[in-house]
Amino acid sequence: MANLTLLFLTLTLCVASTVQRQLVLEDINGKQNLEKDQNIVHYQPEQVHLAFGDSLQDIVVTWSTRSSTNQSLVNFAQDYVHDALSSVSGSWQFFQDGGKQGRSQYIHKVTLSSLKPNTHYEYSCGSDLGWSAVYSFKTPPAGEDWSPSLAIYGDMGNENAQSLARLQQDSQLGMYDAIIHVGDFAYDMDSNDARVGDEFMRQIETLAAYVPYMVCPGNHEEKYNFSNYRARFNMPGDGDSLWYSFNMGPVHFVSFSTEVYYFINYGLKLLTKQYEWLERDLAEANLPENRAKRPWIITYGHRPMYCSDDKEYDCNAKLETYIRKGLPTLEWFGLEDLFYKHGVDVEFFAHEHFYTRLWPIYDFKVYNGSAEAPYTNPRAPIQIITGSAGCNENREPFSKDLPSWNAFHSNDYGYTRLKAHNATHLHFEQVSDDKDGQIVDSFWVIKDKHGAYN
């Protein structure tokens, strides 16, 4: 027995020693790879993407270089080959990932201001040390009297980005005026010392270099206080890309962070600042004169208010969420009452890896317009969960007993399309990538009057 014990201890020490040596070798190899990276210059622009600036006629171009170029330039014209090029300079920031290797890059930002509405432009970005390929975009029409089309989804990763190829084809056909990604990118941007984030940004370049790519943060962006998310994206306003709004045709879009309710280890200040900003922004959007110009208010944030799946880790036993009711016990900063008060029409969420369309809902009660036409003059906001673009965490199961507010659900990989036809009609489609682009859900929202529900 003593011999067996001695043998077991010897084997344990051998295994521990082998593991320790392996960890040391991995650390050495990581440092050597980083040193190799640092000995190679990377002046060539990559990860090019667009966003709206302070208006739809301001387009922000963002890209990365591994090495410092001391220059951030965009050359553009309506016809890149035949027209005289305009050149605009911008700024760059040094970004260092918080991972063990501390990998760094330079992120460049240039704003093309006061562009002509409804106009095709071609551009390249870079510096005297290297230029990108020539990309193009089309500015939206001016004013409110036009019908924007958008693709909306969340939870798309570097691996198993199931919907990406179809979205790329859609975009190249000119189907969208903008794309909204409702949180959770790359899985995760900081993974493998931010190499996964770099590759994801290269993947979406075929979308985002041609169409404004509007975003909000999800839980997978949390690492190092959302540093990869904050550095890589440039959204309008002064909310560090965590909250902002923009007007597009007859719609006022509002983006916000659900994560300030869950990662309060970074402090409550972000939560209070966002809530105060939301109150001001929604109150202004709901003014009669603004509702007359832009009657629709549509919000998007990552984690949903209502749960429809089996894991329910964001809900308590009563299916309650911080987003809906506010922080636990105190019930401060809840968003459902705020959105209801200011007459938000549609709320987009993601996080759950499926698609769910809810009936108009407030305080766990369904408020359909009528039995025959539930989305005609609904008496509460309509919520849509669209988190099935595809990632390495695969699909989510639905509850066996679906809640009464669940109008339609699908586990297919896919994404949502929105067309805001006019002041009274919105049209939604859910595209199934599993079914080769088939539309698995389609519905109209019709409202003759917009404003507070109460």
Side-chain angles (χ1 to χ4, degrees):
M1 188 68 178
N3 288 337
L4 285 173
T5 302
L6 182 60
L7 178 61
F8 176 76
L9 289 171
T10 302
L11 288 171
T12 301
L13 289 170
C14 287
V15 170
S17 177
T18 301
V19 169
Q20 182 63 33
R21 282 199 303 273
Q22 185 63 34
L23 289 172
V24 170
L25 285 172
E26 287 177 1
D27 189 45
I28 292 170
N29 289 335
K31 289 178 180 177
Q32 288 175 341
N33 288 335
L34 183 60
E35 287 171 2
K36 288 179 182 177
D37 285 348
Q38 291 171 340
N39 291 330
I40 302 172
V41 294
H42 296 267
Y43 296 137
Q44 198 62 28
E46 61 173 54
Q47 308 175 39
V48 181
H49 54 286
L50 305 177
F52 291 125
D54 290 334
S55 80
L56 297 196
Q57 272 63 62
D58 299 336
I59 296 294
V60 179
V61 186
T62 303
W63 71 94
S64 293
T65 56
R66 191 65 57 195
S67 303
S68 174
T69 61
N70 290 318
Q71 233 179 3
S72 302
L73 296 172
V74 171
N75 290 335
F76 71 101
Q78 292 180 44
D79 186 322
Y80 197 90
V81 175
H82 298 106
D83 292 347
L85 294 176
S86 298
S87 185
V88 178
S89 64
S91 60
W92 65 91
Q93 64 168 320
F94 175 78
F95 171 66
Q96 186 168 36
D97 175 61
K100 193 173 184 181
Q101 292 187 6
R103 291 177 71 247
S104 62
Q105 60 186 283
Y106 294 82
I107 299 179
H108 305 257
K109 173 186 175 182
V110 173
T111 301
L112 309 181
S113 300
S114 303
L115 300 172
K116 296 178 182 178
N118 202 25
T119 301
H120 172 90
Y121 286 96
E122 297 173 347
Y123 74 98
S124 64
C125 58
S127 70
D128 291 339
L129 296 174
W131 288 93
S132 72
V134 177
Y135 304 102
S136 64
F137 62 85
K138 185 180 179 183
T139 53
E144 295 79 36
D145 191 19
W146 63 284
S147 304
S149 294
L150 299 94
I152 304 173
Y153 54 84
D155 301 80
M156 186 163 72
N158 160 246
E159 182 185 346
N160 192 34
Q162 184 89 7
S163 301
L164 181 58
R166 193 171 304 281
L167 283 161
Q168 289 167 332
Q169 291 176 324
D170 286 356
S171 179
Q172 289 157 10
L173 292 171
M175 291 180 63
Y176 306 123
D177 300 296
I179 290 170
I180 293 176
H181 189 144
V182 192
D184 278 7
F185 308 80
Y187 284 72
D188 294 342
M189 282 190 171
D190 64 277
S191 294
N192 194 4
D193 293 284
R195 289 181 177 87
V196 173
D198 289 340
E199 184 55 34
F200 176 80
M201 298 305 293
R202 296 184 196 107
Q203 281 176 282
I204 66 167
E205 187 177 86
T206 48
L207 287 172
Y210 299 90
V211 179
Y213 201 87
M214 311 305 287
V215 298
C216 70
N219 54 295
H220 279 268
E221 284 69 71
E222 174 270 337
K223 204 70 176 285
Y224 316 122
N225 196 7
F226 299 87
S227 63
N228 270 271
Y229 171 85
R230 293 174 191 246
R232 293 175 187 270
F233 293 110
N234 287 300
M235 296 297 106
D238 56 3
D240 218 3
S241 298
L242 299 177
W243 57 81
Y244 61 92
S245 63
F246 63 98
N247 299 319
M248 196 174 195
V251 183
H252 180 70
F253 285 100
V254 182
S255 174
F256 65 98
S257 172
T258 58
E259 304 316 297
V260 296
Y261 288 82
Y262 292 89
F263 296 107
I264 56 175
N265 50 303
Y266 295 124
L268 284 171
K269 187 176 180 180
L270 281 177
L271 174 55
T272 57
K273 281 183 67 176
Q274 174 178 267
Y275 190 84
E276 290 167 358
W277 176 86
L278 280 169
E279 281 190 306
R280 293 193 303 271
D281 187 85
L282 290 172
E284 183 177 353
N286 195 35
L287 290 173
E289 59 269 30
N290 289 329
R291 271 316 260 275
K293 289 191 295 184
R294 288 177 298 275
W296 299 101
I297 299 177
I298 297 177
T299 64
Y300 55 97
H302 184 63
R303 302 195 204 206
M305 285 190 191
Y306 289 89
C307 297
S308 300
D309 67 306
D310 275 335
K311 70 178 191 298
E312 311 293 16
Y313 63 78
D314 288 319
C315 304
N316 63 20
K318 297 179 180 178
L319 299 185
E320 193 58 86
T321 66
Y322 300 164
I323 312 304
R324 191 188 85 83
K325 203 65 177 174
L327 294 179
T329 308
L330 299 172
E331 295 189 352
W332 288 351
F333 312 115
L335 294 181
E336 187 173 46
D337 284 345
L338 183 67
F339 289 0
Y340 186 82
K341 172 185 174 183
H342 293 294
V344 171
D345 299 290
V346 179
E347 302 166 13
F348 277 101
F349 300 98
H351 190 57
E352 316 294 358
H353 300 163
F354 51 58
Y355 167 78
T356 301
R357 166 168 52 88
L358 279 64
W359 298 120
I361 187 170
Y362 173 70
D363 197 22
F364 290 98
K365 296 176 185 175
V366 171
Y367 289 94
N368 289 343
S370 67
E372 299 77 18
Y375 297 117
T376 298
N377 296 317
R379 295 172 292 137
I382 297 156
Q383 300 189 17
I384 297 168
I385 301 171
T386 178
S388 57
C391 66
N392 59 9
E393 291 185 356
N394 301 314
R395 311 165 199 260
E396 304 279 10
F398 284 96
S399 303
K400 293 177 182 177
D401 298 317
L402 290 172
S404 60
W405 57 78
N406 187 309
F408 179 88
H409 64 276
S410 170
N411 275 112
D412 290 0
Y413 287 118
Y415 50 95
T416 306
R417 291 175 181 156
L418 161 64
K419 187 174 182 70
H421 281 266
N422 51 41
T424 57
H425 287 67
L426 299 179
H427 187 245
F428 299 84
E429 294 179 336
Q430 181 64 15
V431 180
S432 168
D433 192 72
D434 290 351
K435 295 183 174 64
D436 198 28
Q438 179 182 326
I439 305 302
V440 293
D441 188 37
S442 175
F443 68 102
W444 289 89
V445 175
I446 301 172
K447 294 187 83 167
D448 301 319
K449 182 181 178 183
H450 299 264
Y453 294 100
N454 53 0

